[in-house]
Amino acid sequence: MTSPLANLGTPAAPSDSLAVGQRSLGDPDVRYPLWPPLTEGCPVTSTESVAYPVEVDYAYDKVPADFFATASARPRGHERWAPLLPPLHGPGLAEGGTPLLPLGDGVWIKDESRNPTWSHKDRLNRVAVGAAAGVGAEGVVVASSGNHGASAAAYAARAGLRCAVLTSDEVPAAVDAFLRGYGAAVLRVPTEARWPLLRRIVERTGYHPVSNLTPAAHTGHGFGPEGYKTLAYEIFTDLGVVPRAVFVPTGYGEMLFGIWKGFAELVRLGHAERVPRLYGCEPAAGGPLAAAVRGGVPAAHVPLGPTAAYAIACPVGGYRGVVALRESAGAALLVTDEEMAAARSELARNGVWAELSAAAGLAGLRQLGAPDDGPVVCVSTSSGFKDQDLLAAGPSPVVDPEDWDAVERRLRQV
């Protein structure tokens, strides 16, 4: 009998993918070949003020009828979903397959901290770094506050590629060490300098960008967000039904779009009757997606106030998030740091250690109140060790083991 781990991490042959090309989200009739992946959005529909992303199209008529029913029998990792993903040219790290945990009253938590680098970004980077390997790039470059950079560094190392991470000068020390641990070249620069430097590195070295290159609005990598579709596949197969709603921590809206597209594919393939309502949960200190929805525009720039939710604090949004909310009849929610902190504490009381940004989904649900009917799913995106205030409180106090009164006082504090 073959071990179920025998194929763990083995890259799927490119022929396993049913991807057939790329098309513009600005105008679905504008299509491009599958290769090379477009990393600056659609060159036809985009303008100086609006940048439209592209998405990947598939030969949906060739998807086996039992594809989702037999998912659990296939190896863990993106290989499980290879036909509905771009070609997986690089080896994986058994990404995905994260637990769906009941919180009570019909609320479920999708705990993405169980991914290889402890965040949802592994779903994107398995695909985006694979695209870099597919085009023969020597390395990848990413602008990131933490999660995206660590994930890109890990998958680049796995694929034998170099990795440059442009991060802010305020990156937490633990995250900086995390990036360097994978052998990445870490460049700490002022936040506003990251994207011009990223473009310069791409132009001068040929490194493949796995994060955004466009200043007008966020477009991101053409293949990357396809990796987030697997969240929808897993939620559906684990629950056995489409949830009433999904609450998603939102920065640029790539994961929000991927989850919507995954459920839309389930409907298209006849496995589900509807798409759940999606809620993009942004820090109240910014909220470009909320601003775009209010203004009826494809994307918006907003002033960014102080917030500890640095992983999703974005001054500019992208059209992908607008599409996801429009097509799911969803909404953008602005959550405060206090609401996220309360949600983070609730997660901790239930055994999930999440960073502040990761708790934005649950904060959005609690802002609306208890669900009338379930199930509803809140995505928790990453581990609490990535918070900027992780070490601010200092270590726990030393207690004299012979001083029973001191021991009792400490026990009562918990």
Side-chain angles (χ1 to χ4, degrees), residues 2-43:
T2 302
S3 166
L5 300 181
N7 294 323
L8 192 64
T10 302
S15 59
D16 288 346
S17 172
L18 295 176
V20 294
Q22 301 172 86
R23 63 182 177 187
S24 172
L25 285 181
D27 181 352
D29 291 331
V30 177
R31 296 175 179 268
Y32 303 93
L34 185 62
W35 296 98
L38 297 177
T39 58
E40 296 187 65
C42 173

Side-chain angles (χ1 to χ4, degrees), residues 251-266:
Y252 295 124
E254 291 181 301
M255 180 169 57
L256 190 67
F257 174 81
I259 293 173
W260 165 77
K261 185 173 179 181
F263 279 111
E265 287 176 335
L266 286 162

Side-chain angles (χ1 to χ4, degrees), residues 39-132:
T39 58
E40 296 187 65
C42 173
V44 172
T45 58
S46 297
T47 67
E48 289 186 2
S49 59
V50 179
Y52 288 104
V54 296
E55 64 171 335
V56 178
D57 195 15
Y58 301 85
Y60 290 106
D61 59 324
K62 296 182 180 179
V63 178
D66 64 347
F67 180 65
F68 293 100
T70 59
S72 61
R74 299 192 291 272
R76 181 181 169 185
H78 273 4
E79 289 79 13
R80 176 176 294 182
W81 313 108
L84 286 174
L85 293 174
L88 300 173
H89 281 278
L93 289 166
E95 57 285 325
T98 57
L100 189 65
L101 306 173
L103 201 63
D105 297 326
V107 178
W108 296 77
I109 301 298
K110 184 65 168 167
D111 184 9
E112 288 293 279
S113 72
R114 308 291 188 92
N115 274 299
T117 71
W118 312 324
S119 93
H120 63 300
K121 290 292 185 179
D122 292 338
R123 295 182 187 265
L124 178 148
N125 278 298
R126 174 65 201 284
V127 177
V129 174

Side-chain angles (χ1 to χ4, degrees), residues 94-190:
E95 57 285 325
T98 57
L100 189 65
L101 306 173
L103 201 63
D105 297 326
V107 178
W108 296 77
I109 301 298
K110 184 65 168 167
D111 184 9
E112 288 293 279
S113 72
R114 308 291 188 92
N115 274 299
T117 71
W118 312 324
S119 93
H120 63 300
K121 290 292 185 179
D122 292 338
R123 295 182 187 265
L124 178 148
N125 278 298
R126 174 65 201 284
V127 177
V129 174
V135 299
E138 181 180 344
V140 299
V141 58
V142 53
S144 167
S145 57
N147 287 327
H148 194 3
S151 178
Y155 280 86
R158 179 74 168 154
L161 303 177
R162 296 181 178 180
C163 180
V165 181
L166 314 184
T167 191
S168 75
D169 50 6
E170 298 178 353
V171 63
V175 175
D176 186 34
F178 196 24
L179 297 170
R180 290 184 283 109
Y182 291 119
V186 180
L187 292 84
R188 294 175 60 187
V189 299

